[in-house]
Structure formats: C-alpha cells, structure tokens
Amino acid sequence: MGTWTPTAAGLVPAGLTQSAARGGIGESVRRPDGALKVTGAFAYSSDLWHRDMLWGRILRSPHAHARILAVDVSAALALPGVHAVLTHDDLPAAQKTYGLELADTPVLADGVVRHHGEPVALVAADHPETARRAAELIRVDYRELPVVTDEASATAPGAVVLHPDRDDRHAYRAPHPNVLHRQPIVRGDVAAAARRADVVVTGDYEFGMQDQAFLGPESGLAVPAADGGVDLYVATQWLHSDLRQIAPVLGLPEEKVRMTLAGVGGAFGGREDLSMQIHACLLALRTGRPVKIVYSREESFLGHAHRHPARLHYEHGATRDGRLTHVRCRIVLDGGAYASSTAAVVGNAASLGIGPYRVEDVEIEAIGLYTNNPPCGAMRGFGAVQACFAYEAQMDRLAAGLGMDPVELRRINAMRQGDLMPTGQRVDSPAPVAELLRRVRDMPLPPPLDTEDPDIRDLPGGLANTSHGEGIVRGIGYAVGIKNVGFSEGFDDYSTARVRLEVVDGEPVAMVHTAMAEVGQGGVTVHAQIARTELGVEQVTVHPADTQVGSAGSTSASRQTYMTGGAVKNTCGAVRERVFAAGRRRFGGDRPAWGGAGLRLDGGKVVTADGEVLATLAEVLEGEEPIDLELEFRHRPTEPFDPVTGQGFGHVQYSFAAHRAVVDVDVELGLVKVVELACAQDVGRALNPLSVVGQIQGGTVQGLGIALMEEIRVDPATARVLNPSFTDYLVPTVLDAPAVPVDLLELADPHAPYGLRGVGEAPTLSSTPAVLAAVRQATGKALTRVPVRPEHIVD
Amino acid sequence: MEFLRPGCWEEALAAKAEHPAAVPLAGGTDVMVEINLGHRRPGHLLDLGRIGELSEWEVGEREVRLGACVPYARIVGELGRELPALALASRAVASPQIRNRGGVGGNLGTASPAGDAHPALLAAGAEVEVESVRGARRIPIDEFYTGVKRNALRPDELIKRVHVVRATGPQQFSKVGTRNAMVIAVCSFGLALHPGSRTVRTGIGSAAPTPRRAAEAEAFLAGALAEAGLWESRRAVPPSVAKRFAALAAGACSPIDDVRGTAGHRRHAVGVMARRTFLWAWEAYRNGAEGAA
Ligand SMILES: Cc1cc2nc3c(=O)[nH]c(=O)nc-3n(C[C@H](O)[C@H](O)[C@H](O)COP(=O)(O)OP(=O)(O)OC[C@H]3O[C@@H](n4cnc5c(N)ncnc54)[C@H](O)[C@@H]3O)c2cc1C
C-alpha cells in the first residue's frame, strides 16, 4: 500500500479463483481510448454523421414559469430547408411524459413551462443554421406566472402548486404538494442525549448549485429503420433506462428502439436524465430521415439536471471528552421543476447525513422541493456531498467549542466495522475512518510558501499578478466522508454480462459484451482485465455497448466496477465451468485429474490445483461451438427506509475517503490557491491502480470546484439562469488544480467481487469541506456557504 | 453571412466604407464567441488576417506603434521592456491559445470594461490610430471608451494601430478574478510612474461602465511625491500616502453587482491593488529601475 506511484506493479490479488494473467486485474493497464482522446481523434457523439441527415433543434422557454397561450409554427414551417416542426400536439403516443423515477417531465411543454429552458418545440432542417432560424420563427405567446424558488415560497399559503395532480408514490407522505419527498430518520432519544452534552454547536449552511460541466455536449443521432423502429446512437449513462423512457413516448415496443452508446464526453450524473434522445427520435420518425442533435454549450447548461443546491441546519452535541452525544439536522434540497432523481438524493442525504461517525441518538430530516428553479438530479456524490460539507464544518465547530484538535475529535467518534448507521444498518465490512484520517494527517506537508521570492504562479491570483507575497496566510483543514455504492432502498440493481470464448486460428479469444456506458471511468479497461484474469486468456475484445444485451444498470453510484465488473466475473466463471465440462467430456475418461477440484484457466491452458497442465484451451474447444453466455448479476438485496423512522438495510456498500487541504489565501483580496489536497481512500481492491488514482484525483478537483468557484447562478426574482456558459461558470483550470497525493488502502469487502469498493464518488465528498476548513483556518471567517467567493472572505 | 478578405489595408477601408455594418475580424476570440452564442449575426465579416502590417510593431523614440492585430503572446514575449504594464496585462489574458490569437485591436474594438489591455493603456498613455476612406485620426485613449462596450470609432473606421508611450519608469498591472487563470476580470488596475513628467497614471478595469483613470488619486500621489521631494530622493513613501492613494483609487470606481462580483468587493479590491501596485512600482523606482518592475 503506501503512497501510490504510477510505476508500481499491481499487487498479487488475494482470494482469487484464478491466477494473474498478463493485463489482468491489479495492473495499471492503459485505457484503449486514452491516446485517441488526448490527440483529439476520439469520435464523440457530437461527431456522428449520416448521409442525408437533418439537424434537430429545440426551442426552449425563456421564462421559468409561464402559461403557453398559443404556439404558431407556420413561419418556421415555411422556411426553406425546414422538414418538420413539432409541438406537444404532435406527440404520437398516449404517453407524453418521462422521468428517471417519476414520469413527470413533459417531452414538450403541455400548456405550461415550469423552468427556464424547458423544451417547447422541435425543428428538423437540412442545416443547423436553418434549424436555428426556424426555431426563432416559432411564435409562442407566454403569460408569465409567479415563481417559487425556495422552501419558504414553495410552501407558503397560496403558493402555486407545480404539479397539482400528483399520484406518485411519495405524494401521500409529502407535507406539501411542492415537497416531492421527505425522509426522516430517528434513532434513540435525542432530547435525553442532548441533556448529557457539555458543548452544543449549531450551524446553518448553504450549498450552491453545481453543474457536472462535462465537455462533450448532449448529442446523438436517430436513424429511422425500415421496420418502423429507430436506431439511436447517443452519449448516455444507462442505455436501458433511456430505452424504458423513450419507447412508450414514441409508441413503439422496446425492441424497435435499438440503442448504441456513442462516444461520451464526460457525464458525472448529468446524463442520467434524458436530454435529446426522444426529441431526435420523434423528428427522425416524423421526417423519415436520420436526425442529429447537438446541444450548444448554453443549451447544455439549461438542458440537464444539476446538483441540488441545499440549505442545511445542524446541531451537534458532545461531552467534554469529545464523544458525540447527539446530532439533529434538517436538509432542504431544491429539486427544481421536475423530479429527476430527487427522491433518491433525499434518501442519500438523510441516511448519510451525519457522516462516518458513531452516534446513538439522531434526528434527521431531509426534504426535496419542487420549485421553478432548474431541475436538479444526479451528480457525483448524490446527496452525500451537500451533507458532508455541513457535518464536517460542524465537527470543526465542535472541536473549537471543546478546545480539541479537529482530527482527534473525528478519531474519537470515527465509525468502525460493526457500528450502526442512523438507519440501524450495521456496517459489516471494514470502515477505516480513523485510519484514513491518520494517513492524510501523517503525509508530509508541502513546503511553506517562499514569501521572499515566490513564483507568482504559486500564489493566489497567479499570473494576474495580485500579490508578490503580501496578505497571504496558509491554512490546513481536514475532512472525511461516507458514500454509498450502488443503488439503494430496495432497488433491483442488477447488471448483465455476455461473454463469448472461442478458438480463432488456434488462439483462444474472449469477447465481453455489456450495455455498460463508458463515460470515462475506465470500465472498458477493467472488464477486459477481469476477463483475462478469469479466463486465463490474453486476447479480450470489448464489444460496443448496446441494447442487444441485457441491462448493465447505470454508470453512476460508483457501481460499475462492482456491478458490471461483477457480472463479467460471474459470467466468466460460468464460461469456465463450460470449458471444464467440455474437457471432461473429451479427455476426462483418460485423465482422472479432470474430475478434481480447483481447476484453473491459466495462460490459455487448463491447469490443476497443483499446476499440472491438462490441456490447452485450443485442444478443449477445437471443433466446439463458441461458448457464449449472458447472465445477470445481483448484489445482495437492500430494503427501503421506513417512512417514519428511516430504519432499514438501505445501502449495498459504503466507501470512505479523507482529505487534508493546504491552502494559501490572500486575505486582503479573498483569493485562494489550493496548494495540495492529499487524499486517503479505502478502495477495497484496486483493480486498475492508475484508473483508481485518476478517479480520486478527478473527484478531488471537482470537490475543489464547488468549494471555490463552480455555481449555476439563478436569479431569485425570475428563476432564470444567469451564467449558462463557461465564461461565467468557472471550473478549475490546471493552475487551480493542486497536487493530489493519493494513499490507497485496500481492505477487502467480503460481500463484493474481489473485495473491491466503488471509488468514483467518495473523494468528491471530503474534498470540499477540507478546503473550506483550511480557508476558515487561514481567515478566521465562519464561511457557511459554498462556493466561497472573494467577497465572503474579505467582508 | 459574407466573408470579406481584403488583401491590403486600402481594400479593407474600402470594404468597410461599402459595408459599414461589416464586423472586422482580428483574432476572432470575441467575434466567434458572439456568433456562436447567437448574439451577433453580421451580414459581413471583414477578415483582417491577410493584412500583414497589422501584426507588426515599431519601437520609436517616444512610443511603440503597435499594429492592431499583434497577438498578446508577442507582446508578452517581445515588448516587456517597452510596455511593461501592457505585457503584464497581456500575460493575464485567458490561456495560451487565446493569447496566440487575440490582441489589443480586438480588445479595443470590443471595449468591454473588463478588457485587460485597457487599464494598461490608460496608465501608460496611448493614442488609437483609426482610419477610414475619409482619412486618419488619432484618438487619445482617455477619450476612446464612450460607454459599456462602446468606443469612439465611427462606422466606417478601422483601428490601424495603437501608439503606446514607452515606459520611462516602472509599471504594473494587476487583476482580480475568481480563478487562478483563464478568468475575466472581476476588476483590474494598471499603474505607471512617469518620472520624466513627475506624474503617475492609472487605469481601472471592470469597476465602472468604461475603463477609466483614477484622476484624483493620480493627482494626489503626484503632489505627495513632489512635495516630499521623493522623485529625487527615491526614499520610501510614507504608508499614509499609499493608503490615501488606495482610498482615492477605490473612490474612483462606480462598480455594479453582477455574477462575477459585488460592487463592494470591486471597490475594495481596486484599493488593495492600487496600494500594492504602487508600492511595487515605487520599490522598483527606488532601485533605479527604468522599465518593468
Ligand atoms: C476563452 C476566452 C478567454 C478570454 N479571456 C480574456 C481575458 O482574460 N481578458 C480579456 O481582456 N479578454 C479576454 N477574452 C476576450 C478576447 O480574447 C479579447 O477581447 C481579445 O483582445 C480580442 O481580440 P481579437 O483579436 O480576438 O478580436 P476579435 O474577436 O477579432 O474582435 C473583437 C472586436 O473588435 C473588433 N475589431 C477587431 N479588430 C478591429 C480593427 N482593426 N478595427 C476595428 N474593430 C476591430 C471586432 O469587430 C470585434 O468587435 C477572452 C476570450 C475568450 C474566448
């Protein structure tokens, strides 16, 4: 273990059924698409092209809430080059809405728009510029309606109800129709526990609206097929979930909508909801021509769900010796105009709401609102991020109140294996919270700032030349977080993998076919590694992801290596048994060893437990049909949280990461330079250490982004988005990204394939509060809101 | 959209006279963004890329004659001695890709209050040489900015070059943004000491409807330096002087709240930058520096 270095060879995996093949698990196998992406040769969904294709364009609402009095498309239709203009009235099927969890989102606005940028009409034309002009020629008469933008306005007496006829499964529990979902969690007796507290701290925190800010805009190509169906090539996170939502709106059976994953330019949750999929299909089916849609950058900012902004209230109590007595909290998440995945985000925020700490007495309430703000849904960290920012700020406040070292306070209360979550779920695999904190604390500190002769690129402000060392104060902060892995609350979260093994020209060759969306996480690399390890075969091809194979579930919730990786491992195991069966049929009569236990596939051969070679794969499979199996794989079941107490075995697995942030702050100008963000994370087992470190570094920087700069600004008066462009939605540049030394811990989770833990999200949690803690230390300011802007530091 | 590609300056002027609404295209780093966002759909684009002289400069006795299309990267690399404030400002613009294409002519054409060249030009002293088929004229930089994203160009005029006064003393430029690179100014400040005339000039960016000088602050500082004989003695400046200068610079702002920053922070930050840049420049002057600090 120790600090990871890129050259380190993989460790020999523990508990393996198969020996390590070259390019197998544990090695830092390089991505197949890495060089293509770096050199600009990779084909993204926006590069798709088809002979005779048309360009689709979406007309969006300029208002956040308005009644549509009339739509006149005649001028647009009259424009030469325009092939179709569609509105809500043109939708072909009875089903006219869609949604990830609840089908509450209109494909095209039905008499009312509920957020800025909501799709109102579609155009297909022979040139993108023609399509743009045609969209401008569509006349829509709006009557603006009042907007609700926060808890107070959404639940005020007489507030407009955004979805008046709700009959969804959360509606009966919701305290107000503009509250989409509410999840309380109650454990122990908080009132009694609070009386034991020597120190109580409270805090109100605010978390801004972060965007996934992927670089590849929403795009895809729909091609009408001779059978009346459609072939859709699109960048998404879950092909089968898209399919389930698309087909009914088109009035087609699912088999007539064939989907293939196109090159994905980043996702981070922002492609879990549909974007242009249905729109392109509708236009293709209407015109009989292939239709391509590519969002502009502005449209991308308006056209996908963001991370929920949140307001959080916390109360923490502790005895003088630093033991937590109780935690109370209330988390209000703004889901915007449509449900997206708000209910699940509420479940996560509630169940992970107090962090990786042992507390007997807890009262948590999380709610998700319907407002006229932009819809919010999935983003890396999914509800756990907002809570972590607040509970870690509270832990620092509490430490200050107790006069205790903040890391020591965390260590005293750190959760361990066997402890209970506030939901009553026992954490039944390693939970090395204290160990991770110890590791980040013990990593060597970066050298102090050279204030005599600094390189200004190292200073806050950088080459903008704001300081030559004046006004700069260093701060150090710590944070740790807990994230669930996989889909929770009783969801049947399975993955499917098809594996084919055959002999081609005397060489054994395997093919792995799944519907997993490769969004940059490296699944395609890891799946091939797993197949090599499990089948002892070097030549492995990964089939393009499509819906001709069963669902792989979502590329989200840090789940794909666990779930689809697990599915590949599982199917490979079954394929292996077929190989042994074939070998027994052919050779078993002569060699009793074929009947023995512990046969393995290694280096293209069948090998006994003692290492004796029984036959080559070529000999066994010669003249046989290829072995071709498609199997589903499930993690252990979870259960919903009780609607009143929040108790329940809700999560599949937990993952933990800790950060130490070192920052330099120009306290006069309010500018921050993050010097270093050290991370320690338990990954269970690093199937590809290079990929794992990449995930941790990326997640860490995304956490820095929300700490210091990333925010979708929404005008509270009109609910319009003020900065839908990279000019004013700032993401960290290379000069903002600090060194991110990573310390990997590999404690196996006995329930998971290879003992692995999903890694993609946990580092996004603790990065933000660690940066905030460091900036607070440097400035002495309370800083209860992210992103921190210069004026918050200076005022 | 028609794309006009004049091969020489005279052709460009003729084209502009014929199509006064044509949009000149230099590096395109503003123009293409506006077209992409649909903010602008000009009937004609007038590409200046084939007019070689616009990408050249000459260093004269008193001033640098800087072609309108000289990219920032070359100003950073080659004019740091003559135009230190402008070179520092150019260094703070965007990213290497943008600095390889964008230049001062385009910055002046856009005349955004946030443009980084403006405070440096105001501080150094400059004249914008513009021309049309009707003739040429030189517009003092102080008169060039007429409103938010508006300048003194007439519809048929093009910017040929900028005459920037060569530094005879230390100069500085500083910009506050909410990220450490590739950021549009929340506010910015340029400062130049002109020991020959015993004057100080300044430029404030992004803290008023147009780039502007902090006239009162300049006058105060020049007076304070002269009164105490500091130009001659090159002694340290009393902290009270730097403080007063900073307060007057802040007072010269008339900023607004927007998504990039608050009015209050802009005013405050201009004051901090004024104090720091002046102290750096004065320190350099005390050490005998002529050009860049
Ligand atoms: C990613 C990005 C980051 C940026 N960051 C910054 C930054 O940090 N600081 C900053 O100041 N700017 C920034 N900009 C804006 C832009 O780069 C600058 O304003 C640059 O100076 C424009 O120069 P250009 O040559 O590209 O001009 P163009 O885009 O070609 O032209 C700009 C305007 O000037 C007009 N024009 C150009 N040449 C002439 C001429 N000879 N006569 C008359 N009119 C003319 C054009 O018609 C147009 O209106 C950024 C832009 C981008 C895309």
Side-chain angles (χ1 to χ4, degrees), chain A residues 465 470 666 668 728 731, chain B residues 173 179 260 275-276 280:
Chain A
N465 192 37
E470 303 90 329
D666 184 331
E668 277 189 296
D728 285 308
V731 294
Chain B
F173 172 85
R179 125 174 120 182
R260 293 179 195 149
R275 190 186 72 234
R276 288 185 184 176
W280 299 334

Side-chain angles (χ1 to χ4, degrees), chain B residues 51-75:
Chain B
I51 307 169
E53 61 189 297
L54 295 183
S55 298
E56 291 163 9
W57 70 84
E58 270 170 65
V59 178
E61 187 101 333
R62 210 189 79 80
E63 57 184 30
V64 175
R65 289 182 287 280
L66 183 70
C69 295
V70 176
Y72 292 117
R74 306 211 55 186
I75 300 174

Side-chain angles (χ1 to χ4, degrees), chain A residues 286-473:
Chain A
R286 169 62 77 102
T287 60
R289 299 265 294 267
V291 173
K292 172 172 173 172
I293 296 182
V294 181
Y295 281 11
S296 68
R297 179 60 58 194
E298 177 175 359
E299 194 173 17
S300 178
F301 275 110
L302 296 174
H304 63 245
H306 315 285
R307 189 195 293 292
H308 290 74
R311 286 170 194 274
L312 312 97
H313 175 81
Y314 273 80
E315 175 184 309
H316 279 66
T319 52
R320 186 118 12 248
D321 61 0
R323 268 170 230 290
L324 285 167
T325 51
H326 70 289
V327 180
R328 282 193 181 105
C329 72
R330 185 161 188 280
I331 301 170
V332 180
L333 298 150
D334 183 353
Y338 296 106
S340 182
S341 45
T342 293
V345 170
V346 166
N348 256 21
S351 57
L352 305 169
I354 68 160
Y357 300 112
R358 205 158 8 128
V359 193
E360 307 281 318
D361 301 285
V362 183
E363 257 174 42
I364 300 168
E365 180 190 25
I367 66 168
L369 301 171
Y370 273 130
T371 69
N372 293 112
N373 289 324
C376 289
M379 185 175 168
R380 194 178 204 169
F382 205 77
V385 163
Q386 295 91 330
C388 186
F389 156 65
Y391 62 67
E392 286 300 85
Q394 283 288 103
M395 292 302 279
D396 287 340
R397 247 182 219 199
L398 191 57
L402 289 160
M404 192 176 262
D405 173 71
V407 175
E408 177 61 9
L409 176 67
R410 287 174 171 84
R411 188 195 63 75
I412 291 172
N413 295 287
M415 153 186 295
R416 287 181 298 225
Q417 180 165 359
D419 286 340
L420 294 184
M421 294 291 289
T423 56
Q425 179 171 5
R426 192 167 296 285
V427 177
D428 57 2
S429 72
V433 177
E435 171 68 5
L436 293 172
L437 281 163
R438 187 188 65 72
R439 282 169 177 256
V440 281
R441 193 196 51 205
D442 291 350
M443 281 164 86
L445 278 166
L449 183 68
D450 175 1
T451 43
E452 285 306 300
D453 186 22
D455 179 336
I456 66 167
R457 282 171 303 185
D458 297 337
L459 299 178
L463 291 164
N465 192 37
T466 46
S467 168
H468 295 172
E470 303 90 329
I472 294 182
V473 182

